[in-house]
Amino acid sequence: VLSTPFAQVGYSSKTIECKESRIGKQPIAVPSNVTIALEGQDLKVKGPLGELALTYPREVELTKEESGFLRVKKTVETRRANQMHGLFRTLTDNMVVGVSKGFEKKLILVGVGYRATVDGKELVLNLGFSHPVKMQIPDSLKVKVEENTRITVSGYDKSEIGQFAATVRKWRPPEPYKGKGVKYSDEIVRRKEGKAGKKK
C-alpha cells in the first residue's frame, strides 16, 4: 500500500483588534443652558427648547468629565461595541445641540400647481392628486411655508424632523425627467434625457 504524504495546512491564531471609532472618541461639549441627568445607562437632556431621553446599550457607557465634557466609552471590545460607539456619540451630540440650538430641514415643491399651506396643526399639500394631502404636525415640530413652495421643518429632535420631512417627500419624490416633485433644498436630482423623436 502506497502512502502519499499530504501537505500540512498551517493555521495562525491572530487576534482581530477592533479599531476605535474616530467619531466615538471625540468629547461632547455641553452648553451652560443644558442640564444633564445620568442614571446608570439612562440619559436625560433638558434645554431651553425641550427635553430628550436616551438609553445606552451595555456595549457603551457615558461618563462626565471634571471639565464638563461628556465622553462615550466602550465597555467591551467587540465589533458591535465599535459600531455602537460612534452611533451613540452622534446621538448624544444631536440631543445636546437639539435642546440648545435646534435643527431644521428644508423642502422645495417643484411642479405646476404644487403648493403647501399650514392649517392649524396640519400641513396641507397639493401635489397633483385628486385630493389635497393632509399631514398632522407633531407637537414637538414647527412647520413654516414660504412662497407656497418652500417648507421648513424645525424642532429639537433631529430624528423626528428627518422622519417627518422624509414622509412629506415620499408623497411625490422628484422624478428624473422634469424634476417635478418634493425634494430637499440641498438635494441634487440626477436628470435623464427623454425619449428622442423618430429620425426621418
Side-chain angles (χ1 to χ4, degrees):
V1 180
L2 296 173
S3 60
T4 307
F6 292 96
Q8 291 186 350
V9 180
Y11 294 96
S12 62
S13 57
K14 189 183 286 185
T15 306
I16 300 172
E17 293 182 1
C18 295
K19 292 182 180 178
E20 191 173 10
S21 170
R22 286 182 293 177
I23 295 174
K25 64 184 180 182
Q26 293 176 3
I28 302 165
V30 181
S32 57
N33 58 352
V34 174
T35 307
I36 301 293
L38 183 61
E39 293 181 7
Q41 294 291 88
D42 297 325
L43 171 70
K44 287 185 180 179
V45 181
K46 191 174 183 180
L49 297 180
E51 185 177 349
L52 292 170
L54 182 66
T55 301
Y56 291 83
R58 55 187 174 84
E59 288 87 358
V60 294
E61 65 177 1
L62 183 71
T63 57
K64 189 174 182 180
E65 298 178 342
E66 293 180 0
S67 58
F69 286 95
L70 296 176
R71 198 176 286 274
V72 179
K73 295 181 179 179
K74 293 185 288 184
T75 57
V76 290
E77 287 294 332
T78 61
R79 180 175 291 179
R80 178 175 165 79
N82 198 45
Q83 294 166 350
M84 297 296 104
H85 191 202
L87 171 65
F88 277 84
R89 189 268 171 198
T90 301
L91 292 176
T92 307
D93 186 54
N94 287 343
M95 289 169 64
V96 174
V97 174
V99 297
S100 58
K101 298 178 182 177
F103 294 100
E104 68 175 22
K105 198 90 172 171
K106 295 185 178 182
L107 299 135
I108 300 174
L109 275 60
V110 180
V112 178
Y114 287 13
R115 63 183 186 276
T117 54
V118 176
D119 185 10
K121 291 296 291 180
E122 281 187 336
L123 175 65
V124 183
L125 302 167
N126 289 282
L127 300 173
F129 299 118
S130 60
H131 60 282
V133 176
K134 295 183 179 180
M135 293 182 62
Q136 192 72 24
I137 302 171
D139 295 332
S140 60
L141 299 183
K142 291 180 181 178
V143 177
K144 186 171 67 173
V145 177
E146 298 173 347
E147 300 173 4
N148 293 329
T149 56
R150 297 180 179 273
I151 304 170
T152 303
V153 184
S154 58
Y156 57 87
D157 190 342
K158 190 175 184 179
S159 61
E160 194 171 13
I161 293 169
Q163 182 60 54
F164 185 81
T167 307
V168 174
R169 182 185 178 278
K170 194 176 179 181
W171 281 106
R172 186 72 84 178
E175 52 91 23
Y177 295 101
K178 294 184 179 179
K180 290 175 62 176
V182 183
K183 68 168 190 171
Y184 300 119
S185 60
D186 56 351
E187 183 179 2
I188 298 172
V189 181
R190 293 187 67 181
R191 303 294 286 271
K192 291 182 180 178
E193 190 177 346
K195 288 183 178 179
K198 257 189 176 181
K199 292 183 180 179
K200 292 183 180 179

